[in-house]
Amino acid sequence: MKNNAVNADKVNWSGVTQNALKGASDINSPYEIGNVMRQLYQVIGDFHGAFFYRDSTFQWHGRINPIPDSVKKAWNNRLGIKTEILEKSIGYLRIPSMPAGNRAAFDKKAQALNDSLCTLLTHDVKGVIIDLRINGGGAMHPMILGVEQLLGDGIVGSFKTKKTENWLLKENALYIDTSLLATIKPKCVVNAQFLPVVVLIGSGTGSSGEFLTMAFKGRKNTVFFGSETAGYVTVNSGFAINKIAFMNLSIGYGRDRKGTLYISAIQPDKFLNTPEDFTTPKNDLSVKAAVKWLKSR
């Protein structure tokens, strides 16, 4: 933590170390180390990281924005990608969380998302609504690559840790600097990088969902409706302690394509506090507001 935590320079490590060792000396089981780890995460202000021991996870939750019941219900029902044409000319695309842990999964999920986007773009839509309100995170690579026609080739964001690692879209692939993370074979060839877009965000938009939000920041003809995001905007890195203990640690922050650094929850351009309707988007009041804005472009 002292060498890597994003807030390491704000901590009195001598006192913190002494207190942690004292707390650890009183435990009777390795599982009891969890409370000590939670206290450490609190001291460094890291509510995105976590300590894992066997089948247990220990995390300091910090300040978390309340999650609407409708979002919790959508998560429980595992709502997936959804597309719809609204009022004949507006495309709606819901992008949910995308957990994935390897290259094959990245490619598969990115392809599925891009196929869905293509069903909208081939209808000659005049604008697109990207709904990220139930996107609590997962892997950002398939999310960003899956909407490449909207984002355009080039650098669409970056990780800012002790170094800068760019998110690069190029030739139907996503790279982090020079490392290839995911590829797709698009079913449509459409230049949609200047198409008007409304991104819907809220407290259910977190972690990689927020990085996807950053990828749209700085894009022309793009606005953000809803409420502030969850605030899990830190870059996480994993550190193995031994074969049965592991630690995730926040080591930096995300930046958009123009270099703006995000160190807290992302704010919308237009605040909307309306009930969500994820089963019937055309009846959702935020979606209706987005349609109105897109039709005025």
Side-chain angles (χ1 to χ4, degrees):
M1 288 180 169
K2 181 178 180 180
N3 292 333
N4 296 281
V6 67
N7 295 320
D9 60 348
K10 301 176 183 178
V11 175
N12 175 2
W13 286 103
S14 177
V16 168
T17 302
Q18 185 177 8
N19 289 336
L21 292 176
K22 181 180 179 180
S25 68
D26 294 332
I27 67 172
N28 298 309
S29 161
Y31 286 99
E32 295 178 11
I33 198 72
N35 287 331
V36 177
M37 297 303 294
R38 285 195 184 98
Q39 291 171 10
L40 284 170
Y41 279 109
Q42 182 175 3
V43 167
I44 63 173
D46 185 353
F47 59 87
H48 198 181
F51 173 69
F52 305 88
Y53 177 74
R54 293 190 185 274
D55 57 349
S56 297
T57 301
F58 303 94
Q59 187 174 22
W60 173 65
H61 292 291
R63 183 187 69 84
I64 298 177
N65 293 331
I67 305 296
D69 289 340
S70 56
V71 173
K72 293 178 181 178
K73 182 178 179 180
W75 286 345
N76 290 334
N77 292 335
R78 298 186 179 184
L79 295 186
I81 297 170
K82 183 177 180 62
T83 60
E84 194 167 327
I85 301 295
L86 304 173
E87 300 195 13
K88 298 182 180 180
S89 63
I90 304 300
Y92 170 87
L93 175 61
R94 181 177 67 214
I95 306 177
S97 302
M98 289 191 176
N102 57 56
R103 170 67 191 280
F106 295 160
D107 290 354
K108 182 178 180 179
K109 290 178 181 288
Q111 187 68 56
L113 177 56
N114 197 251
D115 290 348
S116 297
L117 176 61
C118 280
T119 64
L120 300 177
L121 296 182
T122 52
H123 275 82
D124 193 30
V125 292
K126 305 305 180 185
V128 175
I129 300 167
I130 301 293
D131 193 346
L132 304 183
R133 291 174 296 173
I134 64 169
N135 191 323
M140 78 166 204
H141 319 308
M143 300 178 195
I144 292 177
L145 181 57
V147 292
E148 66 163 0
Q149 291 92 338
L150 296 175
L151 294 175
D153 279 355
I155 295 172
V156 296
S158 63
F159 295 131
K160 182 66 179 74
T161 58
K162 292 180 179 179
K163 59 181 179 179
T164 297
E165 297 177 294
N166 291 319
W167 314 337
L168 175 65
L169 288 173
K170 180 182 178 183
E171 298 175 350
N172 307 321
L174 175 72
Y175 296 82
I176 302 298
D177 276 350
T178 58
S179 298
L180 176 62
L181 271 297
T183 60
I184 57 173
K185 296 179 180 178
K187 293 184 177 179
C188 64
V189 180
V190 180
N191 183 357
Q193 61 180 311
F194 301 113
L195 195 68
V197 168
V198 176
V199 182
L200 300 180
I201 57 175
S203 60
T205 311
S207 192
S208 292
E210 289 171 292
F211 289 138
L212 178 57
T213 302
M214 292 178 206
F216 278 97
K217 285 285 186 176
R219 180 189 181 276
K220 293 182 178 179
N221 291 327
T222 307
V223 296
F224 300 80
F225 286 5
S227 58
E228 71 173 14
T229 60
Y232 292 89
V233 292
T234 53
V235 183
N236 266 9
S237 185
F239 298 87
I241 297 170
N242 55 33
K243 292 183 179 180
I244 55 176
F246 185 84
M247 180 171 64
N248 273 342
L249 193 65
S250 293
I251 63 169
Y253 293 102
R255 298 196 303 190
D256 65 26
R257 66 181 68 199
K258 293 190 174 181
T260 300
L261 188 71
Y262 295 85
I263 62 174
S264 59
I266 301 171
Q267 305 299 318
D269 297 313
K270 182 176 182 179
F271 280 87
L272 297 174
N273 184 20
T274 58
E276 296 92 346
D277 187 343
F278 295 115
T279 57
T280 313
K282 67 179 182 180
N283 294 335
D284 186 287
L285 296 180
S286 293
V287 172
K288 287 184 176 182
V291 169
K292 182 178 180 179
W293 185 87
L294 290 168
K295 292 182 72 174
S296 71
R297 304 303 292 170

